[in-house]
Amino acid sequence: MGFFNRVFLILALLSVELTPSSADSSSSSREITSIFLNHAKKKEVFDWMVGIRRKIHENPELGYEEFETSKLVRAELDKMGIPYKYPIAVTGVVGFVGSGEPPFVAIRADMDALSMQEMVEWEHKSKIPGKMHACGHDGHVAMLLGAAKILQEHRELLQGTVLLVFQPAEEGGGGAKKMVEAGVLENVEAIFGLHVYPDLPTGQVASRSGPFLAGSGFFEAVINGKGGHAAIPQHSIDPILAASNVIVSLQHLVSREADPLDSQVVTVAKFKGGGAFNVIPDSVTIGGTFRAFSKESFMQLKQRIEEVITRQATVQRCNATVDFHAAGKEPFTPPTINDKGLHGHFQSVAANLFGSDNVKDMQPVMGSEDFSFYQEMIPGYFFFLGTKDETSGKPASVHSPYFKINEDALPYGAALDASLAAGYLLELQTRSTPSSRKHHDEL
Ligand code: NI
């Protein structure tokens, strides 16, 4: 038999053998999804998730201070008999469900709140003045615990191990980066991350393949001149004028240097200098943020921001220093780029759960997410779960003091988290059919 005929025969045999097994995998993936959703919708499971979410909502904790939230997570995992690692990155917890053997797949929930005062008047309003779960991370924790319960009770269906990643400090603290540094993703094949979305109706999800959320960075610059009497400018070096020109020049970076089809932002949001009507100050401090959808564009912006500030300042005889670490936040968060291979998996699992009409493709969003630190290491997929509160008019956005979520979405999120992970393990098993491969290699 000629070489090509042999290859053809092998391919034909492979396809005969693989077709039924991949059909099995998609039908059992569909079955798993429906079993999981029914489980998540049980009244006792729903009430339990709502209770957890409300308890966390009443006691919001900021990044790296999520001690009570983390304690609650561990107490629930203990009750379910799920082993976990703690502490990771101060308050982080990673639970393990399934065989304990590879392959490993991860689902992530962030646990931190924001420093802002809740303005929603309801029974479970934040009890901590100046702190609020205004980004729905309380719901993320409740849904991941819901997924944990579903997966643990159906662990015989898992073809490997699911990691339940409860991370601290998403809101600018780079908690995901610290989790990665602690080795959480070792040997993990893929990671999924859910975020609530108040503009999307409950019962819908949205995401996209490729660049989804922007990378973000912060900068602060001090522009030094020489103070003096405002009526005698010739004896001073005016940092206010220099800073004003710096800001105008910074606005040319996106409009004149970036590809118009490659979305970017530079915003100066802070300007501090001077305190009197008749005194030229010694210095001015400005600060802001920059965003881009690729690492190259992001690094280019960073370099040009520094050059423009320092060089433009010298035009007015000032000197300037630029600091990218001064904001007290994680200085750089990479763009959130969804893996193309996982996009198909997400769409098919989500369509099984919600119906394909309710799985929406979204335009990229200029906000950022530290989930991107995981995606820098392994294939990852980030998506939005509809949590629109249909009882009010225009829903308040995330980070608004009026932010609310529709708790009816909790079972959907729990079932989706659990189905994405269990379905992915099934898909991996189908892909690697070691016994049939061995058989064919012997031909
Ligand atoms: Ni958030």
Side-chain angles (χ1 to χ4, degrees):
M1 195 186 287
F3 175 74
F4 287 104
N5 285 340
R6 264 183 86 130
V7 169
F8 186 75
L9 176 65
I10 291 167
L11 288 175
L13 284 169
L14 265 172
S15 75
V16 165
E17 198 150 305
L18 285 180
T19 309
S21 87
S22 42
D24 282 355
S25 137
S26 80
S27 64
S28 40
S29 178
R30 202 172 307 137
E31 283 157 26
I32 284 177
T33 305
S34 104
I35 294 169
F36 286 1
L37 183 60
N38 288 337
H39 195 131
K41 280 184 163 174
K42 280 185 191 167
K43 191 179 176 330
E44 70 266 25
V45 177
F46 175 73
D47 289 346
W48 167 77
M49 276 192 286
V50 167
I52 287 170
R53 186 254 154 173
R54 290 179 177 179
K55 197 166 176 188
I56 300 173
H57 191 87
E58 287 176 3
N59 299 287
E61 297 172 298
L62 303 183
Y64 300 119
E65 296 173 3
E66 308 92 337
F67 296 105
E68 291 306 313
T69 309
S70 171
K71 204 163 145 188
L72 184 153
V73 166
R74 283 175 280 129
E76 292 299 335
L77 293 177
D78 278 333
K79 278 188 230 163
M80 292 182 241
I82 295 177
Y84 54 81
K85 273 192 194 161
Y86 168 84
I88 307 171
V90 189
T91 57
V93 183
V94 176
F96 301 87
V97 196
S99 67
E101 301 288 323
F104 299 101
V105 62
I107 329 168
R108 168 271 210 166
D110 38 13
M111 304 190 287
D112 56 326
L114 288 154
S115 52
M116 56 194 291
Q117 179 61 42
E118 176 161 11
M119 301 297 281
V120 185
E121 293 303 332
W122 68 307
E123 209 188 325
H124 300 281
K125 185 178 176 174
S126 167
K127 289 179 177 164
I128 316 288
K131 294 182 189 173
M132 177 191 179
H133 267 290
C135 201
H137 299 185
D138 48 349
H140 300 171
V141 173
M143 287 186 268
L144 187 52
L145 282 171
K149 187 181 267 294
I150 296 167
L151 291 167
Q152 176 70 344
E153 287 182 25
H154 299 282
R155 58 189 177 277
E156 76 286 351
L157 297 172
L158 299 177
Q159 309 292 328
T161 307
V162 179
L163 274 70
L164 311 158
V165 178
F166 296 90
Q167 77 153 74
E170 190 283 323
E171 301 287 358
K177 190 179 174 193
K178 288 209 165 52
M179 296 294 276
V180 169
E181 285 165 357
V184 161
L185 295 184
E186 227 164 85
N187 299 324
V188 176
E189 307 277 343
I191 184 163
F192 297 94
L194 171 156
H195 206 293
V196 298
Y197 201 70
D199 281 323
L200 198 65
T202 301
Q204 290 190 359
V205 282
S207 189
R208 81 192 306 272
S209 181
F212 188 20
L213 282 88
S216 80
F218 299 95
F219 63 92
E220 189 173 79
V222 180
I223 295 158
N224 293 299
K226 187 178 155 218
H229 199 295
I232 317 169
Q234 72 273 26
H235 291 166
S236 296
I237 299 173
D238 184 357
I240 299 236
L241 178 65
S244 306
N245 278 310
V246 162
I247 292 166
V248 172
S249 296
L250 285 173
Q251 290 311 315
H252 296 156
L253 290 180
V254 175
S255 71
R256 299 292 82 188
E257 295 185 21
D259 179 344
L261 297 176
D262 177 16
S263 304
Q264 301 179 21
V265 168
V266 175
T267 292
V268 176
K270 174 176 169 182
F271 190 115
K272 276 190 178 164
F277 290 108
N278 54 359
V279 179
I280 292 171
D282 271 328
S283 72
V284 166
T285 302
I286 62 168
T289 184
F290 57 107
R291 311 275 160 128
F293 281 99
S294 72
K295 202 153 191 175
E296 299 71 47
S297 301
F298 188 78
M299 295 319 287
Q300 168 76 7
L301 267 187
K302 175 177 180 265
Q303 187 194 327
R304 290 292 293 142
I305 284 169
E306 182 157 17
E307 285 172 2
V308 165
I309 293 174
T310 52
R311 293 181 190 176
Q312 181 62 59
T314 64
V315 173
Q316 265 85 33
R317 299 175 296 150
C318 288
N319 63 67
T321 53
V322 185
D323 187 351
F324 291 98
H325 299 259
K329 292 171 174 261
E330 177 60 36
F332 306 114
T333 301
T336 300
I337 299 174
N338 277 340
D339 182 81
K340 290 185 170 59
L342 295 180
H343 181 62
H345 174 65
F346 172 79
Q347 285 198 309
S348 86
V349 170
N352 287 341
L353 203 60
F354 300 97
S356 48
D357 288 352
N358 292 316
V359 182
K360 306 290 180 190
D361 251 331
M362 247 182 104
Q363 290 300 308
V365 180
M366 220 67 215
S368 72
E369 235 301 328
D370 82 349
F371 186 76
S372 54
F373 285 109
Y374 302 114
Q375 291 173 314
E376 287 211 312
M377 306 300 291
I378 62 168
Y381 198 84
F382 188 73
F383 58 93
F384 289 131
L385 175 81
T387 51
K388 191 170 180 177
D389 180 5
E390 310 281 355
T391 58
S392 46
K394 169 103 183 93
S397 70
V398 291
H399 296 209
S400 155
Y402 296 99
F403 175 77
K404 285 198 265 185
I405 64 173
N406 180 354
E407 290 171 333
D408 289 344
L410 297 179
Y412 290 114
L416 183 55
D417 269 348
S419 306
L420 283 168
Y424 194 69
L425 291 176
L426 212 64
E427 212 177 291
L428 285 178
Q429 193 208 29
T430 314
R431 259 191 244 162
S432 64
T433 59
S435 60
S436 66
R437 276 227 179 115
K438 202 167 178 194
H439 173 70
H440 288 296
D441 286 348
E442 285 162 8
L443 268 176

